[in-house]
mmCIF file of all heavy atoms in Angstrom:
data_model
loop_
_atom_site.group_PDB
_atom_site.id
_atom_site.type_symbol
_atom_site.label_atom_id
_atom_site.label_comp_id
_atom_site.label_asym_id
_atom_site.label_seq_id
_atom_site.Cartn_x
_atom_site.Cartn_y
_atom_site.Cartn_z
ATOM 1 N N PRO A 45 -137.958 99.536 121.951
ATOM 2 C CA PRO A 45 -138.991 100.142 121.111
ATOM 3 C C PRO A 45 -138.343 100.748 119.865
ATOM 4 O O PRO A 45 -137.286 101.384 119.967
ATOM 5 C CB PRO A 45 -139.578 101.248 122.001
ATOM 6 C CG PRO A 45 -138.581 101.503 123.069
ATOM 7 C CD PRO A 45 -137.634 100.343 123.134
ATOM 8 N N THR A 46 -138.954 100.571 118.706
ATOM 9 C CA THR A 46 -138.381 101.137 117.471
ATOM 10 C C THR A 46 -139.501 101.613 116.552
ATOM 11 O O THR A 46 -140.666 101.258 116.732
ATOM 12 C CB THR A 46 -137.569 100.084 116.666
ATOM 13 O OG1 THR A 46 -138.496 99.275 115.912
ATOM 14 C CG2 THR A 46 -136.711 99.204 117.538
ATOM 15 N N MET A 47 -139.084 102.379 115.551
ATOM 16 C CA MET A 47 -140.020 102.737 114.477
ATOM 17 C C MET A 47 -139.660 101.985 113.200
ATOM 18 O O MET A 47 -140.102 102.342 112.110
ATOM 19 C CB MET A 47 -140.012 104.248 114.251
ATOM 20 C CG MET A 47 -140.493 105.013 115.488
ATOM 21 S SD MET A 47 -141.245 106.587 115.139
ATOM 22 C CE MET A 47 -139.915 107.443 114.341
ATOM 23 N N HIS A 54 -129.993 99.930 115.183
ATOM 24 C CA HIS A 54 -131.099 99.217 115.836
ATOM 25 C C HIS A 54 -130.647 97.823 116.291
ATOM 26 O O HIS A 54 -130.988 97.372 117.383
ATOM 27 C CB HIS A 54 -132.266 99.016 114.859
ATOM 28 C CG HIS A 54 -132.953 100.272 114.441
ATOM 29 N ND1 HIS A 54 -132.848 100.808 113.187
ATOM 30 C CD2 HIS A 54 -133.799 101.093 115.133
ATOM 31 C CE1 HIS A 54 -133.584 101.894 113.098
ATOM 32 N NE2 HIS A 54 -134.168 102.095 114.264
ATOM 33 N N PHE A 73 -143.265 100.366 115.368
ATOM 34 C CA PHE A 73 -144.474 101.192 115.284
ATOM 35 C C PHE A 73 -144.068 102.621 114.940
ATOM 36 O O PHE A 73 -143.367 103.273 115.719
ATOM 37 C CB PHE A 73 -145.217 101.163 116.634
ATOM 38 C CG PHE A 73 -146.471 102.000 116.648
ATOM 39 C CD1 PHE A 73 -147.542 101.671 115.815
ATOM 40 C CD2 PHE A 73 -146.586 103.111 117.473
ATOM 41 C CE1 PHE A 73 -148.698 102.439 115.811
ATOM 42 C CE2 PHE A 73 -147.739 103.881 117.481
ATOM 43 C CZ PHE A 73 -148.800 103.543 116.648
ATOM 44 N N ASN A 75 -144.893 106.003 115.089
ATOM 45 C CA ASN A 75 -145.852 106.612 116.010
ATOM 46 C C ASN A 75 -146.335 107.980 115.523
ATOM 47 O O ASN A 75 -145.584 108.959 115.588
ATOM 48 C CB ASN A 75 -145.147 106.754 117.374
ATOM 49 C CG ASN A 75 -145.987 107.525 118.364
ATOM 50 O OD1 ASN A 75 -147.219 107.413 118.357
ATOM 51 N ND2 ASN A 75 -145.322 108.318 119.198
ATOM 52 N N GLN A 78 -145.799 111.578 117.450
ATOM 53 C CA GLN A 78 -144.530 112.270 117.660
ATOM 54 C C GLN A 78 -144.062 113.016 116.409
ATOM 55 O O GLN A 78 -142.967 113.569 116.391
ATOM 56 C CB GLN A 78 -143.457 111.307 118.161
ATOM 57 C CG GLN A 78 -142.975 110.273 117.182
ATOM 58 C CD GLN A 78 -142.054 109.249 117.842
ATOM 59 O OE1 GLN A 78 -142.494 108.370 118.567
ATOM 60 N NE2 GLN A 78 -140.760 109.366 117.599
ATOM 61 N N TYR A 88 -142.122 108.366 106.148
ATOM 62 C CA TYR A 88 -141.071 107.745 106.968
ATOM 63 C C TYR A 88 -140.801 106.340 106.419
ATOM 64 O O TYR A 88 -141.747 105.584 106.159
ATOM 65 C CB TYR A 88 -141.518 107.681 108.437
ATOM 66 C CG TYR A 88 -140.380 107.342 109.360
ATOM 67 C CD1 TYR A 88 -139.505 108.329 109.809
ATOM 68 C CD2 TYR A 88 -140.144 106.022 109.751
ATOM 69 C CE1 TYR A 88 -138.437 108.013 110.628
ATOM 70 C CE2 TYR A 88 -139.075 105.703 110.569
ATOM 71 C CZ TYR A 88 -138.232 106.704 111.014
ATOM 72 O OH TYR A 88 -137.165 106.389 111.810
ATOM 73 N N HIS A 141 -143.325 116.973 119.991
ATOM 74 C CA HIS A 141 -142.665 115.711 119.614
ATOM 75 C C HIS A 141 -142.483 114.793 120.827
ATOM 76 O O HIS A 141 -142.849 113.616 120.791
ATOM 77 C CB HIS A 141 -141.310 116.024 118.960
ATOM 78 C CG HIS A 141 -140.402 114.842 118.836
ATOM 79 N ND1 HIS A 141 -140.661 113.797 117.983
ATOM 80 C CD2 HIS A 141 -139.235 114.514 119.483
ATOM 81 C CE1 HIS A 141 -139.711 112.887 118.086
ATOM 82 N NE2 HIS A 141 -138.832 113.285 118.996
ATOM 83 N N VAL A 145 -143.627 110.968 122.032
ATOM 84 C CA VAL A 145 -142.677 109.903 122.380
ATOM 85 C C VAL A 145 -143.010 109.340 123.763
ATOM 86 O O VAL A 145 -143.127 108.120 123.935
ATOM 87 C CB VAL A 145 -141.215 110.430 122.355
ATOM 88 C CG1 VAL A 145 -140.262 109.393 122.932
ATOM 89 C CG2 VAL A 145 -140.798 110.805 120.936
ATOM 90 N N VAL A 148 -146.323 107.262 123.785
ATOM 91 C CA VAL A 148 -146.276 105.915 123.187
ATOM 92 C C VAL A 148 -145.350 105.005 123.991
ATOM 93 O O VAL A 148 -145.649 103.815 124.183
ATOM 94 C CB VAL A 148 -145.887 105.965 121.688
ATOM 95 C CG1 VAL A 148 -144.397 106.121 121.464
ATOM 96 C CG2 VAL A 148 -146.390 104.715 120.980
ATOM 97 N N VAL A 149 -144.242 105.547 124.506
ATOM 98 C CA VAL A 149 -143.315 104.692 125.264
ATOM 99 C C VAL A 149 -143.976 104.258 126.582
ATOM 100 O O VAL A 149 -143.864 103.095 126.981
ATOM 101 C CB VAL A 149 -141.958 105.398 125.478
ATOM 102 C CG1 VAL A 149 -141.077 104.616 126.443
ATOM 103 C CG2 VAL A 149 -141.230 105.568 124.139
ATOM 104 N N PHE A 163 -132.336 102.074 124.735
ATOM 105 C CA PHE A 163 -132.474 103.204 123.798
ATOM 106 C C PHE A 163 -131.096 103.611 123.293
ATOM 107 O O PHE A 163 -130.092 103.435 123.989
ATOM 108 C CB PHE A 163 -133.114 104.416 124.501
ATOM 109 C CG PHE A 163 -134.550 104.192 124.888
ATOM 110 C CD1 PHE A 163 -134.868 103.553 126.080
ATOM 111 C CD2 PHE A 163 -135.578 104.610 124.061
ATOM 112 C CE1 PHE A 163 -136.192 103.332 126.439
ATOM 113 C CE2 PHE A 163 -136.905 104.398 124.403
ATOM 114 C CZ PHE A 163 -137.214 103.758 125.599
ATOM 115 N N ASP A 167 -130.135 109.570 120.058
ATOM 116 C CA ASP A 167 -131.282 110.397 120.460
ATOM 117 C C ASP A 167 -131.100 110.734 121.941
ATOM 118 O O ASP A 167 -131.857 110.262 122.798
ATOM 119 C CB ASP A 167 -132.581 109.639 120.217
ATOM 120 C CG ASP A 167 -132.806 109.373 118.741
ATOM 121 O OD1 ASP A 167 -132.957 110.334 117.980
ATOM 122 O OD2 ASP A 167 -132.783 108.188 118.349
ATOM 123 N N GLN A 170 -134.015 112.209 123.839
ATOM 124 C CA GLN A 170 -135.069 111.197 124.039
ATOM 125 C C GLN A 170 -134.720 110.298 125.232
ATOM 126 O O GLN A 170 -135.562 110.022 126.085
ATOM 127 C CB GLN A 170 -135.224 110.365 122.771
ATOM 128 C CG GLN A 170 -136.129 109.166 122.938
ATOM 129 C CD GLN A 170 -136.486 108.509 121.625
ATOM 130 O OE1 GLN A 170 -137.362 108.996 120.919
ATOM 131 N NE2 GLN A 170 -135.821 107.417 121.283
HETATM 132 O O1 LIG B 1 -136.523 106.381 118.809
HETATM 133 C C1 LIG B 1 -137.556 105.953 118.232
HETATM 134 O O2 LIG B 1 -137.479 105.205 117.275
HETATM 135 C C2 LIG B 1 -138.921 106.405 118.715
HETATM 136 O O3 LIG B 1 -138.886 107.720 119.147
HETATM 137 C C3 LIG B 1 -139.518 105.482 119.797
HETATM 138 C C4 LIG B 1 -138.683 105.476 121.053
HETATM 139 C C5 LIG B 1 -139.620 104.068 119.243
HETATM 140 C C6 LIG B 1 -140.919 105.954 120.166
HETATM 141 O O4 LIG B 1 -141.768 105.965 119.070
#
Side-chain angles (χ1 to χ4, degrees):
T46 80
M47 297 208 300
H54 293 109
F73 179 64
N75 173 35
Q78 69 188 75
Y88 193 83
H141 166 69
V145 171
V148 80
V149 171
F163 292 84
D167 295 296
Q170 171 169 281

